[in-house]
Amino acid sequence: MKYYNKLIFEISKPGRVGYSLPQSDFGNYSLADLPQTLRRETPAELPEVSELDVVRHYTNVSNKNFGVETGFYPLGSCTMKYNPKINEEMAAMPAFTTLHPRQSEESVQGALRLYYELAQALAEISGLAEFTLNPFAGAHGELTGLMLMRQYHIKRGDLKRTKVIVPDSAHGTNPASAAVCGLEIVEVPSTPEGTIDVAKLEPLLDDTIAGIMMTNPNTLGIFEKEIPQIAKLVHGCGGLLYYDGANLNPLLGRCRPGDMGFDIMHINLHKTFSTPHGGGGPGSGPVGVAAALVDYLPRPRVVKHGDRYAVEGGADSLGSVSGFFGNFGVMMRAYAYILSLGKEQIKHVGELATLNANYVKESLKDCYYLPIEGICKHEFVFDGLLDKSTGVTTLDVAKRLLDYGYHAPTIYFPLLFHQSIMIEPTETESKETLDEFIEAMRTVAREAIDDPEMVKSAPHVTPVRRLDETTAAKNPILRFKDLNY
Amino acid sequence: MYKYFPHTESDIAEMLERIGVASLDDLYAEIPESIRFDKDYNLKKSMSEDEVRNYFKELGNLNHPLTVFAGGGAYDHYSPSVIGQLIARSEYLTAYTPYQPEISQGTLQYIFEFQSMMCELTGMECCNASMYDGATATAEAMLMAIAHAKKRNKVIISRTVSERVIAVVETYARFHGVTLDYIPENDGVTDKAAMEQMLEANDVAGVIVSTPNRYGIIEDFTGFAESTHAHKTLFIVNADPSAMAVLKTPGEWGADIACGDGQSLGMPLNFGGPYVGYLAASRDLVRKLPGRIVGATKDVDGKRAFVLTLQAREQHIRRQKANSNICSNQSLMALYVTIYMALMGKRGLQEVNEKSYAGAHYLCDKLLATGKFSLCFDKPFLKEFAVRTTLNRETLMKHLEEKGFLAGIPVEGTDDTILFCVTEKRTREEIDNLVSLIEQEG
Ligand SMILES: Cc1ncc(COP(=O)(O)O)c(C=O)c1O
């Protein structure tokens, strides 16, 4: 296929249309009757294209993308597992997609039941009392969870608690969510083994601490085995524990955040529960809480009375975080996944994801620098190539992998190392796929020694090559109207 | 073995050997005994594909899709068949955020097109890659105003903004520590004089209004930009993007920030989500925008390409100092509305509004003619309008629901007012049927 590089505006021709609307016969009503002051002065310059123009354009544009179905996508922290097709079919059922969110409870019992049952299943898997499915993504779940944390303290009249502890290995959304929630961030350092330094945590704990945000396994893929002690300390000072569920996948079947002592958590349905990432959403970030926090969950809340499902507010609720019920279509996919796997299969997800990650780690640590030895969980982090003399950086390795038909791992996160390469294979990948990837990684490591310039100028065979990001940021061109090339 | 797990027994054995452990259990050896989960989950048994289908069908049968004469933030517009099929392409559907631009030009390009089209519709100069929904987009607009003003901590919002949006803005304001005050409504629209008085103290970072507002009224913001800007206050307009094809745009009203929900651009109702929020601004506020933004650039060979840009605003770089915590947004839904806007084009969106306007005014006149309804406000509207009824509202709506109609939504804070909505999808026959059922009531 020839290289396609047009914008939709560039194939527009005045007069073409790509739609058909019904004739209407309502008589003499016309927009022209609106006062001139309320009407748009100049028309919006939207494209004018035929239906085939549109179909061909977006098909060709899609060919410049890489998804899980294109190839292996070991993007650490993102859990790029296979997105099952049956989930898509279920989410497209008109009996749900045509429902208006303001319909009466009686007319949406199926949708409410789905919401309720999914929330129950997540509570069981997490070891927590109850879930809201309203938050739209992981970061939105974090924000909602921190609001719950604050609401808990506020309702107890404990108003001094305005700080939250965040490990230095945390994902950027953790401190950012805390800031949006009006909390002050206190950073706790990691030990050389990559886990929270409990000795340095202790002195931070006092009656101004609202709680701690953690993920376990942490962003290095290492299980925080001191968690019972951490929970005891944080609870001891009156704080709560928040669990960032982005890393829940390896725990399926093995360990539950509620049992570890976490009071609040979010789950990324678009990670652990197989819903597609859609190029950056829509995701879904359900938030679960321990029994003591149930009354503070956001509105609307879906509850069950006898065999009827109802929507409630709740006087102590923290308020609303979404216009309606959240990303319902994403919930449908996640529920189809949970029903498919069921109790017999969900429990194998964690161990197979962990098996895959350790297999890749052990197969590559003789050519990439593994800063922390030991068994990881679903992901692990290399600190660049083992041989640092070549000048080939993590960025170069990532770009060269694109030439070999792989998506790159997550790079330069976590921030604990300078050359982080974070690899998360997920349980849906076969040994053959992993072996091929391992071979490609080894080839790149060899190339870094034999022909470093070639690696540094990679990628070579992608639809476009390295981009001038500096000019893009210095002189931002953010819409077609401002584009002159 | 399971269809989503490719591991054979021998694969597992070989892999464990390479790792140097004896069993899968050994991979979890460090987890303290006291917190291990070694029971079975109390979940349903694994279902085959047909069992899953049947289960969903069973749940679906408990729903009653209705002929929709309601809006309130979710509009039943025509969804072209093309869109669902294109966005299901795995290259779009199964990609992550475009972190590797060389193999993500598909996502990056459609976001650039989305930003361009939203700028056209709203009359603004820049737009981000999408927000979660219209309500959270409005809350983020409030936070932008606070960050922009630096020393001011107050935002005022019109009572005529949808209560759904206000509820979310209130939550964000309370936890972020923003003082939120309300501009009263006067005859269904924002009380401009009251707003001007509230601005006098020079302590307001932003003013939030909406159009069409919670009653469907097209507000007249003449003089609003002058009044707000005179006090160095940002003027924020929550606007229905579909309607902006024909109504005066936030840009034309002199807004600094436009925000709202893109659901009206042909997206299915989907019981409230996923939809897509948008946040657009004047050029001088671009570095205050939250979330992803795509810009144009060139590759080393001089080929035009697109890339995530101005990332120094974002959480992965700035952490707690970031403009916002947003990471994943609603990207695929941004693609949805981009394809919609491409198909409908310049002419189609005007036609959608023309037909919605005609249908809504036809229904309104027919309702008034029954003698059982009166208009709440004598103000211009597009596709949504509020009427008071002499009938028992709850009984009426229940009866109509039994006949298959979602006959508007009750206006909060009243016991006799209904907000009706008519889109281009509603036929004259449907409207006549609805009205004749209403005539039999009472
Ligand atoms: C550890 C961690 N926390 C939080 C998030 C934020 O999730 P989302 O993008 O769904 O907001 C991510 C996503 O990349 C993550 O990896």
Side-chain angles (χ1 to χ4, degrees):
Chain A
M1 187 212 50
K2 75 178 193 306
Y3 181 69
Y4 181 78
N5 194 20
K6 291 202 178 92
L7 286 159
I8 188 79
F9 307 98
E10 293 165 335
I11 59 171
S12 169
K13 190 164 187 184
R16 289 204 177 122
V17 296
Y19 66 93
S20 57
L21 289 172
Q23 293 299 317
S24 61
D25 43 359
F26 294 119
N28 286 333
Y29 298 103
S30 165
L31 277 172
D33 299 337
L34 285 176
Q36 187 64 47
T37 47
L38 299 182
R39 280 163 37 213
R40 188 173 174 127
E41 289 155 19
T42 51
E45 290 302 325
L46 294 175
E48 294 173 87
V49 282
S50 73
E51 183 167 318
L52 177 58
D53 287 340
V54 169
V55 172
R56 221 169 248 165
H57 175 77
Y58 289 103
T59 300
N60 283 319
V61 170
S62 81
N63 288 333
K64 296 190 284 183
N65 246 16
F66 186 104
V68 171
E69 292 179 21
T70 317
F72 184 45
Y73 214 127
L75 191 66
S77 207
C78 300
T79 315
M80 298 299 283
K81 61 174 76 176
Y82 169 59
N83 311 134
K85 297 296 180 190
I86 182 73
N87 301 359
E88 298 303 312
E89 186 187 318
M90 295 304 95
M93 276 179 61
F96 293 90
T97 59
T98 57
L99 295 182
H100 192 283
R102 302 293 301 272
Q103 286 187 214
S104 70
E105 284 167 11
E106 292 73 39
S107 67
V108 296
Q109 283 293 304
L112 295 177
R113 183 169 146 195
L114 190 150
Y115 183 112
Y116 184 85
E117 288 186 359
L118 174 58
Q120 291 268 299
L122 296 177
E124 168 65 14
I125 291 167
S126 309
L128 289 166
E130 198 167 318
F131 267 76
T132 172
L133 309 184
N134 300 357
F136 292 108
H140 199 226
E142 291 170 20
L143 177 59
T144 305
L146 291 169
M147 288 171 171
L148 283 157
M149 188 185 277
R150 287 198 65 193
Q151 183 78 348
Y152 167 84
H153 293 306
I154 291 166
K155 285 288 169 188
R156 291 158 48 95
D158 195 352
L159 305 178
K160 293 188 300 300
R161 296 187 182 269
T162 53
K163 295 186 198 153
V164 66
I165 298 172
V166 180
D168 55 4
S169 61
H171 192 260
T173 51
N174 290 189
S177 298
V180 173
C181 195
L183 287 160
E184 200 184 310
I185 289 93
V186 183
E187 201 172 90
V188 61
S190 303
T191 63
E193 289 73 48
T195 52
I196 287 184
D197 192 331
V198 180
K200 295 209 169 111
L201 172 67
E202 264 194 273
L204 303 176
L205 297 170
D206 60 30
D207 63 359
T208 64
I209 296 297
I212 186 170
M213 293 184 90
M214 288 176 66
T215 179
N216 195 15
N218 62 27
T219 59
L220 298 171
I222 298 171
F223 191 83
E224 300 269 1
K225 55 179 188 290
E226 302 295 340
I227 184 63
Q229 173 66 4
I230 294 172
K232 208 167 134 203
L233 287 170
V234 174
H235 284 149
C237 93
L240 298 178
L241 282 87
Y242 183 85
Y243 180 82
D244 174 346
N247 293 354
L248 182 65
N249 207 45
L251 298 190
L252 293 191
R254 293 283 173 172
C255 190
R256 305 192 304 174
D259 300 338
M260 285 190 248
F262 287 97
D263 306 287
I264 313 168
M265 74 177 290
H266 83 260
I267 292 176
N268 302 58
L269 293 184
H270 47 299
K271 297 184 178 180
T272 311
F273 293 97
S274 85
T275 72
H277 291 70
S284 176
V287 171
V289 291
L293 290 115
V294 164
D295 289 343
Y296 311 133
L297 285 169
R299 301 184 192 110
R301 259 178 81 188
V302 176
V303 296
K304 190 177 179 187
H305 298 304
D307 57 1
R308 305 298 292 167
Y309 298 86
V311 180
E312 286 185 357
D316 287 338
S317 163
L318 64 86
S320 293
V321 295
S322 57
F324 300 106
F325 298 93
N327 282 335
F328 187 75
V330 179
M331 298 168 206
M332 292 183 67
R333 291 170 171 87
Y335 197 43
Y337 177 76
I338 289 174
L339 291 176
S340 298
L341 269 66
K343 62 178 354 164
E344 299 92 329
Q345 299 300 337
I346 287 186
K347 64 178 180 192
H348 296 304
V349 168
E351 62 198 25
L352 295 174
T354 297
L355 177 72
N356 278 2
N358 280 285
Y359 180 71
V360 174
K361 169 170 66 64
E362 291 303 315
S363 306
L364 287 172
K365 68 179 188 185
D366 61 333
C367 36
Y368 291 85
Y369 177 57
L370 181 66
I372 299 168
E373 281 281 351
I375 297 292
C376 65
K377 295 277 94 52
H378 63 307
E379 66 192 1
F380 63 94
V381 181
F382 285 132
D383 189 5
L385 284 156
L386 197 57
D387 181 351
K388 298 271 191 280
S389 68
T390 62
V392 171
T393 64
T394 281
L395 181 72
D396 303 327
V397 170
K399 297 303 179 195
R400 185 63 182 145
L401 279 172
L402 309 182
D403 280 337
Y404 286 107
Y406 294 100
H407 195 282
T410 292
I411 53 174
Y412 301 108
F413 175 75
L415 309 175
L416 295 186
F417 311 118
H418 293 299
Q419 295 289 327
S420 289
I421 304 178
M422 186 191 215
I423 298 177
E424 178 181 11
T426 86
E427 74 283 1
T428 59
E429 299 299 334
S430 69
K431 180 168 176 296
E432 286 72 17
T433 301
L434 302 183
D435 285 337
E436 284 166 23
F437 174 70
I438 289 163
E439 201 39 53
M441 286 286 284
R442 301 186 72 86
T443 304
V444 175
R446 259 194 317 276
E447 288 173 343
I449 296 166
D450 298 344
D451 192 356
E453 287 315 308
M454 186 272 294
V455 182
K456 284 195 229 177
S457 56
H460 300 281
V461 299
T462 45
V464 295
R465 296 181 53 222
R466 281 196 207 194
L467 304 181
D468 181 356
E469 301 194 18
T470 314
T471 308
K474 212 180 277 168
N475 174 29
I477 299 165
L478 310 177
R479 55 174 179 169
F480 178 65
K481 220 178 212 168
D482 300 330
L483 184 66
N484 56 11
Y485 54 84
Chain B
M1 208 89 62
Y2 184 65
K3 60 181 173 174
Y4 306 149
F5 310 145
H7 303 72
T8 64
E9 290 300 323
S10 66
D11 286 341
I12 293 175
E14 283 170 47
M15 293 167 82
L16 287 172
E17 195 183 325
R18 168 101 38 109
I19 298 165
V21 296
S23 69
L24 290 171
D25 287 348
D26 288 351
L27 297 173
Y28 290 86
E30 80 279 35
I31 299 191
E33 201 89 48
S34 63
I35 55 169
R36 284 190 199 168
F37 182 73
D38 47 18
K39 298 190 288 274
D40 265 339
Y41 289 125
N42 179 16
L43 293 172
K44 290 187 203 307
K45 283 213 180 92
S46 175
M47 292 185 188
S48 71
E49 200 163 288
D50 267 336
E51 285 167 336
V52 171
R53 266 195 198 109
N54 289 336
Y55 193 80
F56 270 78
K57 225 174 267 166
E58 201 181 299
L59 292 184
N61 287 340
L62 302 173
N63 295 330
H64 304 293
L66 304 169
T67 303
V68 175
F69 281 96
Y75 301 94
D76 188 26
H77 286 290
Y78 152 65
S79 300
S81 162
V82 163
I83 310 176
Q85 303 196 34
L86 282 176
I87 70 163
R89 289 184 67 86
S90 71
E91 296 85 348
Y92 291 129
L93 182 71
T94 71
Y96 202 77
T97 299
Y99 291 137
Q100 295 292 337
E102 297 87 348
I103 53 166
S104 308
Q105 285 300 306
T107 302
L108 289 159
Q109 178 169 334
Y110 78 65
I111 294 173
F112 186 82
E113 293 181 353
F114 170 79
Q115 292 173 179
S116 304
M117 292 187 201
M118 293 310 295
C119 285
E120 281 301 322
L121 272 187
T122 58
M124 304 304 289
E125 292 163 328
C126 59
C127 178
N128 77 2
S130 78
M131 303 301 291
Y132 302 134
D133 73 347
T136 58
T138 310
E140 293 266 9
M142 168 186 73
L143 298 182
M144 276 176 78
I146 295 292
H148 175 76
K150 292 194 180 78
K151 291 210 174 70
R152 298 181 183 186
N153 203 37
K154 187 193 281 183
V155 166
I156 58 178
I157 187 166
S158 172
R159 277 286 178 205
T160 67
V161 174
S162 149
E163 62 276 14
R164 302 263 147 180
V165 173
I166 289 184
V168 174
V169 171
E170 274 175 353
T171 306
Y172 275 64
R174 183 158 74 87
F175 287 99
H176 195 72
V178 176
T179 306
L180 191 67
D181 276 351
Y182 300 89
I183 311 168
E185 70 176 67
N186 179 9
D187 196 21
V189 297
T190 307
D191 185 335
K192 181 161 177 271
M195 173 188 78
E196 283 166 345
Q197 205 160 21
M198 294 171 86
L199 290 170
E200 280 306 319
N202 287 317
D203 64 348
V204 177
V207 164
I208 307 175
V209 295
S210 74
T211 188
N213 70 17
R214 68 180 292 221
Y215 304 113
I217 298 170
I218 307 164
E219 292 221 16
D220 184 345
F221 297 131
T222 304
F224 276 55
E226 290 75 6
S227 300
T228 49
H229 293 157
H231 296 277
K232 297 197 163 48
T233 299
L234 292 187
F235 179 38
I236 302 166
V237 180
N238 174 305
D240 170 359
S242 170
M244 290 306 109
V246 295
L247 300 184
K248 190 171 275 195
T249 64
E252 288 171 330
W253 287 123
D256 303 288
I257 302 174
C259 55
D261 207 308
Q263 187 278 337
S264 58
L265 297 169
M267 291 180 63
L269 293 167
N270 234 343
F271 199 48
Y275 295 166
V276 60
Y278 75 88
L279 195 48
S282 59
R283 183 72 192 201
D284 55 321
L285 289 173
V286 66
R287 281 167 212 273
K288 290 280 182 298
L289 276 175
R292 318 285 186 206
I293 300 178
V294 170
T297 189
K298 289 180 181 166
D299 79 350
V300 288
D301 300 327
K303 236 188 235 173
R304 182 174 73 189
F306 302 93
V307 70
L308 292 175
T309 194
L310 303 175
Q311 297 193 67
R313 305 163 293 105
E314 290 193 67
Q315 46 75 29
H316 60 288
I317 311 237
R318 296 288 302 283
R319 300 178 75 82
Q320 61 261 39
K321 296 201 176 67
N323 292 0
S324 163
N325 65 329
I326 193 167
C327 183
S328 293
N329 45 67
Q330 302 278 116
S331 198
L332 196 74
M333 300 297 107
L335 174 61
Y336 191 106
V337 300
T338 302
I339 300 175
Y340 174 84
M341 289 186 276
L343 287 165
M344 303 306 288
K346 209 177 195 170
R347 183 116 59 91
L349 266 177
Q350 284 174 12
E351 211 178 308
V352 161
N353 281 290
E354 193 70 64
K355 293 191 156 134
S356 302
Y357 177 92
H361 285 76
Y362 175 78
L363 171 63
C364 183
D365 284 349
K366 297 264 299 194
L367 287 176
L368 299 183
T370 63
K372 295 167 178 169
F373 290 88
S374 59
L375 256 182
C376 290
F377 310 102
D378 184 20
K379 290 271 161 58
F381 66 89
L382 186 68
K383 61 189 168 195
E384 248 179 319
F385 57 94
V387 282
R388 233 174 256 123
T389 179
T390 53
L391 299 168
N392 179 300
R393 180 175 74 181
E394 271 56 47
T395 318
L396 171 71
M397 292 184 70
K398 193 159 182 293
H399 285 175
L400 293 170
E401 182 179 302
E402 282 159 9
K403 302 281 188 214
F405 290 99
L406 177 57
I409 47 186
V411 172
E412 258 172 53
T414 68
D415 55 14
D416 61 355
T417 306
I418 303 178
L419 185 67
F420 280 95
C421 178
V422 182
T423 65
E424 79 285 2
K425 267 176 82 170
R426 296 288 76 86
T427 63
R428 180 167 174 159
E429 195 184 352
E430 285 168 340
I431 296 177
D432 290 344
N433 282 344
L434 176 72
V435 174
S436 75
L437 286 169
I438 289 172
E439 275 166 346
Q440 294 158 30
E441 286 284 324

